[in-house]
Amino acid sequence: MLKTLLGDPNARKLKKYQPYITEINLFEEEIKTLSDEELKGKTAEFKQRFAKGESLDDILPEAFATVREAGRRVLGLRHFDVQMLGGVILHTGQIAEMKTGEGKTLVATLPSYLNALNGKGVHVITVNDYLARRDAEWMGQVHRFLGMSVGLIQQSMTPQERKKNYDCDITYVTNSEIGFDYLRDNMATDIKDVVQRPFNYCVIDEVDSILVDEARTPLIISGQVERPTEKYLKAALIANSLKPDEHYEVDEKARNVLLSDEGFAESENLLEVTDLFDPEDPWAHFIFNAIKAKELFLKDVNYITRGGEVVIVDEFTGRVMPGRRWSDGLHQAIEAKERLEIQPETQTLATITYQNLFFVIPKTRWNDGYSKN
């Protein structure tokens, strides 16, 4: 009833962009008559106009018509009006949701070309290496024809190769690669080790996967911490000697343990030390983790042992998660409890979620939701 009374709000928004489509179609007839060299020369003309003070919005109709003609000549694909509309919406920072088969991959060539005219670079981000490579090779033909350099980031690349590709006008990359490169750049101690240039504009494909399903998934770079393995083993023995309620309390809801005064005294006595928190010889961290491993992390419930390793069991699905490890020395405490080989402990050196990563980019757009941050 509200739709009947007020009209479809999406239809009203789409109608607002219709003048752009009309103007693009008017330019199409003129641009069709250009030779290949004249069409390629449009990029230099647009850059010059931008440098003289015209905005990207001013250039948009003719630039989009140029990309449409380049797509027709190079790929044999002409952007339909609905695809042009998607491109305009992406440029203006709105969400462009398109159904399968409506050609959202081709749509991305429009705002990525326009926003690369300022020379600051554009990232086209997708979910895996295959799609990034496919789009760089396929859609990249349009940009290369128009004189834009096209880069591609793949998992196996060296830092030198990454820098070269990030310096291109338009770079195709996966969400994980751009995220980890961002973290590594922020850890770099020398500017020569930085591979990315300052962010400018990005288009994200499959946004429901990247910014809904994985929105809060942290990207983490970790490093090994050298801690003596004998401390884990000795702490496991101490934990077995301590008695619940008398020496410590277990808070199952908070997944934590608290040592009583008697527990501190007994631990210090067994270890023959005067202070568990002695900075020169700290033991508290090891004792607490050993008690947690004993009381809160149960074999065949929270983990299993397989192939000489402790393998985590997902508490929600019951599935084993090989390769995952508990942090902050807890995994090592469980390995000591089970008398397995103790692997080196890791610590988080840098971390960011996808949600926060894309807040860093001044202009972010999503396809299949492209949107503005």
Side-chain angles (χ1 to χ4, degrees):
M1 184 179 290
L2 285 174
K3 269 192 178 181
T4 305
L5 293 171
L6 304 176
D8 185 349
N10 282 332
R12 291 203 306 274
K13 287 181 182 177
L14 294 176
K15 189 176 181 180
K16 183 176 73 173
Y17 298 118
Q18 197 58 45
Y20 278 112
I21 309 306
T22 303
E23 201 171 349
I24 292 166
N25 288 336
L26 289 174
F27 273 113
E28 182 177 14
E29 295 307 313
E30 176 188 328
I31 286 174
K32 267 185 178 179
T33 63
L34 300 178
S35 67
D36 283 358
E37 289 306 311
E38 288 172 328
L39 187 62
K40 292 175 184 178
K42 280 292 181 181
T43 299
E45 178 191 318
F46 294 147
K47 287 182 177 180
Q48 191 173 32
R49 284 167 57 185
F50 179 80
K52 288 182 176 179
E54 282 194 59
S55 70
L56 293 179
D57 290 348
D58 296 331
I59 299 168
L60 185 152
E62 192 172 355
F64 275 28
T66 299
V67 175
R68 172 186 263 175
E69 181 60 21
R72 190 183 68 80
R73 295 187 191 187
V74 176
L75 302 177
L77 299 172
R78 175 187 174 275
H79 297 74
F80 292 107
D81 284 358
V82 69
Q83 292 171 313
M84 287 292 179
L85 190 58
V88 173
I89 290 168
L90 296 182
H91 173 69
T92 57
Q94 305 300 308
I95 294 172
E97 184 177 2
M98 304 188 73
K99 295 176 183 177
T100 301
E102 284 190 330
K104 64 179 183 289
T105 305
L106 188 62
V107 170
T109 59
L110 298 162
S112 55
Y113 171 78
L114 178 64
N115 283 274
L117 293 172
N118 63 13
K120 295 180 180 179
V122 167
H123 297 100
V124 180
I125 300 171
T126 190
V127 292
N128 60 52
D129 272 359
Y130 165 75
L131 289 175
R133 184 174 64 252
R134 183 203 70 179
D135 292 351
E137 292 172 354
W138 185 26
M139 295 298 145
Q141 294 177 70
V142 174
H143 296 131
R144 282 188 284 266
F145 177 83
L146 291 171
M148 293 283 188
S149 57
V150 177
L152 169 65
I153 303 296
Q154 298 276 269
Q155 191 173 14
S156 58
M157 285 184 171
T158 64
Q160 292 76 20
E161 291 172 323
R162 288 171 183 272
K163 181 170 177 54
K164 179 182 176 183
N165 282 277
Y166 276 123
D167 284 343
C168 290
D169 294 312
I170 298 166
T171 303
Y172 289 81
V173 59
T174 65
N175 52 314
S176 61
E177 290 299 321
I178 194 172
F180 281 116
D181 283 335
Y182 174 78
L183 291 178
R184 282 189 285 264
D185 280 359
N186 277 275
M187 293 168 59
T189 56
D190 191 319
I191 192 65
K192 291 184 292 187
D193 298 326
V194 173
V195 299
Q196 294 177 338
R197 53 176 165 166
F199 290 139
N200 169 47
Y201 177 97
C202 83
V203 173
I204 303 177
D205 196 6
E206 304 293 348
V207 72
D208 54 342
S209 172
I210 295 173
L211 285 182
V212 177
D213 300 342
E214 299 183 50
R216 303 302 299 167
T217 300
L219 300 171
I220 298 172
I221 293 179
S222 57
Q224 290 188 356
V225 180
E226 292 299 326
R227 284 189 173 143
T229 56
E230 63 270 14
K231 281 199 168 186
Y232 295 110
L233 296 169
K234 199 164 185 178
L237 292 173
I238 301 298
N240 284 332
S241 302
L242 300 178
K243 299 173 184 177
D245 298 328
E246 181 182 346
H247 296 124
Y248 59 84
E249 293 179 6
V250 179
D251 186 343
E252 293 191 9
K253 187 176 180 181
R255 308 286 290 172
N256 200 11
V257 296
L258 297 170
L259 271 179
S260 64
D261 290 342
E262 291 79 6
F264 275 106
E266 181 67 11
S267 299
E268 289 165 353
N269 180 51
L270 292 169
L271 288 168
E272 299 180 348
V273 299
T274 57
D275 185 1
L276 294 183
F277 293 96
D278 182 354
E280 298 299 321
D281 186 23
W283 276 98
H285 178 75
F286 297 94
I287 298 297
F288 283 123
N289 273 341
I291 299 172
K292 286 181 186 178
K294 172 188 172 184
E295 297 288 350
L296 297 171
F297 292 83
L298 308 178
K299 186 176 180 180
D300 298 329
V301 177
N302 304 104
Y303 66 90
I304 62 170
T305 56
R306 187 167 67 187
E309 295 183 349
V310 171
V311 183
I312 297 173
V313 175
D314 188 295
E315 62 179 310
F316 300 108
T317 65
R319 295 176 180 172
V320 295
M321 299 190 291
R324 298 279 186 93
R325 292 178 67 82
W326 284 296
S327 62
D328 204 29
L330 180 58
H331 210 97
Q332 287 73 16
I334 297 171
E335 289 169 336
K337 166 188 159 183
E338 296 293 341
R339 294 293 188 269
L340 299 174
E341 182 182 353
I342 297 173
Q343 304 296 325
E345 187 178 338
T346 60
Q347 67 177 0
T348 299
L349 302 177
T351 182
I352 194 170
T353 63
Y354 286 122
Q355 192 177 71
N356 289 337
L357 171 66
F358 294 116
F359 272 119
V360 175
I361 301 176
K363 295 170 73 179
T364 304
R365 307 293 180 264
W366 337 114
N367 193 5
D368 199 13
Y370 287 115
S371 159
K372 181 180 180 182
N373 270 336

